[in-house]
């Protein structure tokens, strides 16, 4: 089944419980759909099931198997618990009878508390005017990167033999969405390649095995054309696995998200 190139708003708008959806090849990453997009689809489908305006606090994603582009899959949302303050849900993306992506998320109301710890704003370089990522190169650059602007401050392109394994830089959608939702933020946070790939001198497959992302509240409204800053380090890597941690900031240095991933590398 072949589909046209679709704006992320179109894909997210179609992501609902008990529906079938197709991710077009333009959002591909090798033979699979871009993981950040599939995590965003799961988040949007769960958010649509909420009975009130609870904020997404944390989402954990397991990338169980490949979710093929240009092929239909089903979205199934399960309410695990609807408490007074916190709702917990599960979402599965099922293709050809197999679970490809599984996500669990917790949505919570604000509560009165005497505990208040506010992270100090980070001093960042000025937001860039344009991206500096490599252009679309067939069979080299992941197709989904055509939808994203990336600007590197620290780190290198994958497979360039760097000695470090960290990224600092900026990200935004090339074609801005109508509104920046949690699902849009989730998709953006995952656009960077695994930090360890820049250490290799030749191409090798890599993928995310699991991903935990937490949103800090309250945080400012993110404008659709606003850049977000990404600061990611590798805590440890060995034996084909890497553990990374990232912080995401607004242009004024406000911390809005924490991300931790376990990645696999087949070199």
């Amino acid at each position: 089944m072949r589909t046209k190139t679709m704006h992320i708003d179109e894909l997210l708008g179609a992501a609902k419980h008990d529906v079938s959806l197709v991710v077009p090849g333009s959002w591909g990453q090798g033979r699979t759909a871009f993981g950040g997009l599939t995590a965003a689809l799961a988040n949007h489908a769960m958010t649509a099931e909420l009975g009130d305006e609870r904020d997404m606090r944390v989402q954990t994603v397991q990338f169980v198997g490949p979710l093929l582009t240009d092929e239909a899959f089903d979205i199934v949302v399960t309410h695990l618990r609807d408490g007074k303050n916190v709702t917990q849900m599960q979402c599965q993306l099922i293709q050809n009878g197999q679970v490809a992506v599984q996500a669990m998320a917790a949505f919570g109301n604000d509560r009165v508390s005497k505990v208040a710890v506010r992270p100090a704003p980070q001093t960042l370089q000025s937001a860039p005017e344009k991206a500096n990522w490599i252009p679309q190169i067939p069979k080299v650059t992941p197709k989904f990167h055509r939808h994203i602007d990336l600007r590197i401050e620290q780190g290198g392109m994958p497979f360039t033999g760097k000695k470090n394994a960290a990224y600092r830089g900026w990200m935004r959608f090339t074609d801005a969405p109508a509104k920046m939702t949690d699902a849009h933020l989730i998709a953006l946070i995952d656009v960077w390649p695994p930090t360890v790939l820049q250490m290799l001198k030749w191409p090798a497959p890599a993928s995310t095995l699991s991903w935990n992302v937490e949103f800090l509240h309250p945080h400012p409204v993110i404008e659709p054309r606003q850049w977000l800053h990404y600061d990611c380090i590798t805590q440890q890597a060995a034996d084909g696995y890497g553990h990374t941690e990232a912080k995401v900031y607004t242009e004024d240095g406000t911390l809005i998200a924490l991300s931790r991933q376990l990645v696999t590398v087949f070199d």
Side-chain angles (χ1 to χ4, degrees), residues 7-9 146-149 172-178 224-225:
H7 189 276
I8 189 169
D9 286 354
R146 72 187 66 188
H147 302 288
I148 309 295
D149 290 338
R172 68 179 181 183
F173 288 104
T174 302
D175 188 3
R225 288 299 296 166

Side-chain angles (χ1 to χ4, degrees), residues 101-131:
V101 178
Q102 176 167 289
M104 293 182 64
F107 303 83
N109 289 323
D110 292 344
R111 297 194 301 272
V112 176
S113 174
K114 295 182 176 64
V115 177
V117 180
R118 305 296 184 193
Q122 185 81 357
T123 300
L124 304 174
Q125 295 183 14
S126 298
E129 294 184 2
K130 59 182 180 179

Side-chain angles (χ1 to χ4, degrees), residues 4 14 17 35 40 42 53 74 78 100 114 136-137 139 150 164 171 181 184 190 224-225 231 241 247:
K4 65 176 183 178
H17 168 60
E53 296 297 322
D74 298 321
T78 304
K114 295 182 176 64
Q136 279 289 310
I137 302 174
K139 299 183 179 181
L150 290 180
N164 69 317
M171 54 192 175
T181 68
H184 290 91
D190 195 43
R225 288 299 296 166
D231 188 347
Y241 298 88
K247 296 179 180 179

